[in-house]
Amino acid sequence: AIGFDERNSTAFEGTRDRRGQKLGITLAKSDRQQRTATITFDQPVAPGKTITIGLKPLRNPNYEGVYLFQVQTLPTG
């Protein structure tokens, strides 16, 4: 499992090529057994927005390759 650095992880509206407004996030501790990381936005994000999240690892993974992540969103509250 990959551990992420909250201070150097970022989020913003738009895509990597078309960056918009920076979004404040809080990255909860990663649960290595569950292989999950929880990201909470400081302000709710409006439906239909494209959001890019850049997660900075604490260190590079031991194995090279492509890492795929599943994303789940939950409404406020």
Side-chain angles (χ1 to χ4, degrees):
I2 302 171
F4 297 107
D5 180 359
E6 179 178 4
R7 288 179 288 159
N8 292 308
S9 293
T10 61
F12 54 88
E13 288 185 21
T15 63
R16 189 170 70 177
D17 297 332
R18 298 182 76 106
R19 290 181 182 230
Q21 177 183 358
K22 185 175 179 179
L23 302 171
I25 59 171
T26 301
L27 179 62
K29 295 265 185 198
S30 299
D31 184 334
R32 291 179 181 228
Q33 287 186 343
Q34 295 289 327
R35 295 185 175 191
T36 61
T38 301
I39 300 165
T40 304
F41 291 94
D42 293 350
Q43 299 292 321
V45 176
K49 294 280 186 181
T50 298
I51 303 297
T52 299
I53 300 170
L55 297 173
K56 178 75 173 173
L58 291 170
R59 64 183 175 91
N60 284 335
N62 292 330
Y63 305 102
E64 66 179 73
V66 176
Y67 288 78
L68 299 176
F69 296 90
Q70 178 180 356
V71 176
Q72 177 183 14
T73 61
L74 301 172
T76 302

